[in-house]
Amino acid sequence: MDPEAILAAIEQQRDNEAEPREEQERVPYLGFYLGTEVYGLPLDQLREVARVSHLRRVPGAPAGVAGLVNLRGEILCALDVREILGLPAQASTDSPFIVALRGFGDPLGLIVDSIADIYAVLPSEIEPPPATWPAERAARFIGTARVPVGLMGLLDLAKVTKV
Amino acid sequence: MTVSIEAVSLLVFEAADCLMAVPASEIAQLEGSDPLFTKIENRAAFDLGAYFGGPESDGPWLRWGRGTRSAWLRVRHVVDVVPVALSLLTPMPAVFRRQPRTHAFLAAGVRGDDVFLLLDPARLTS
């Protein structure tokens, strides 16, 4: 075989390996809005996104729990992410979304204002939360990533769901 | 011999801006919202509005009883009595079972689009 052809074949193989590997390393995140800020959670921890037609508040519930939601007959415990992250209260969105999570003992969901997009993030693109964030807030994130709509805070769901 | 119960009749009422329910078979009596009745002393009585941190209820009193235990519960108003399949009731998530007040809710169920809370009056604490 011609040495040039061997070299080309090696380079081709190298290219074939390199491209998919980078794609495989990207982690898809669902981006969602709370007010004007965008936050993200790993897609593999997401079960469903639905509009909230009826949120039933539970009297005596701890801060951070928005209430219970009937999702086609299944009752989800809805968490108030805005409250959990210490964001200022805002006039309630007419019809917010609930992001149903997977992998938790009880059926859980997060109440969010709206959905942004799905963003594929390389682990190398994840940076620590800004130093200007209060420590208590920063502890609820695995980091941040730059996406087209701004700086996306990547939630640490294990910590966010501990209310 | 074991008897399986597949459905239970629930008395649904509103209190503390919430839909709640108790087994209808445990409600022995309903009393009006007469202030004189409200002032009767020496009885276990819970205004469910105030109990859960909201404004006091202004509706009827329900006399709840189970075995030797009994209590009066004040609610805003009685909504309905409905049969509910036990399979449609969901145990309350852990976050509610840990709280001193919401510990009184055993389960949640669905009524139309809305959610109601199954209250166990035996868990109310004064």
Side-chain angles (χ1 to χ4, degrees), chain A residues 53-62 65 67-70 73-77 79 106-108 161-163, chain B residues 16-20 52 88 90 92-99 101-102 105 108-110 112-115 117:
Chain A
S53 59
H54 216 104
L55 173 67
R56 171 54 68 188
R57 300 202 177 275
V58 178
V65 176
L68 297 174
V69 169
N70 170 14
E74 183 190 17
I75 296 172
L76 263 65
C77 177
L79 302 181
D106 289 315
L108 286 181
T161 56
K162 275 187 185 165
V163 289
Chain B
D17 288 330
C18 190
L19 270 187
M20 301 183 195
F52 288 107
L88 296 180
T90 303
M92 288 299 278
V95 65
F96 298 109
R97 297 197 299 269
R98 291 194 294 263
Q99 300 294 317
R101 286 298 191 234
T102 54
F105 299 122
V110 172
D113 286 340
D114 207 350
V115 174
L117 306 174

Side-chain angles (χ1 to χ4, degrees), chain A residues 16-47:
Chain A
N16 289 345
E17 285 173 358
E19 279 180 19
R21 186 173 299 148
E22 183 176 285
E23 285 305 311
Q24 284 166 9
E25 285 175 355
R26 286 188 179 271
V27 177
Y29 284 84
L30 174 78
F32 61 86
Y33 285 105
L34 293 174
T36 57
E37 296 180 348
V38 64
Y39 297 91
L41 56 88
L43 216 54
D44 63 358
Q45 291 186 275
L46 168 87
R47 183 157 60 90

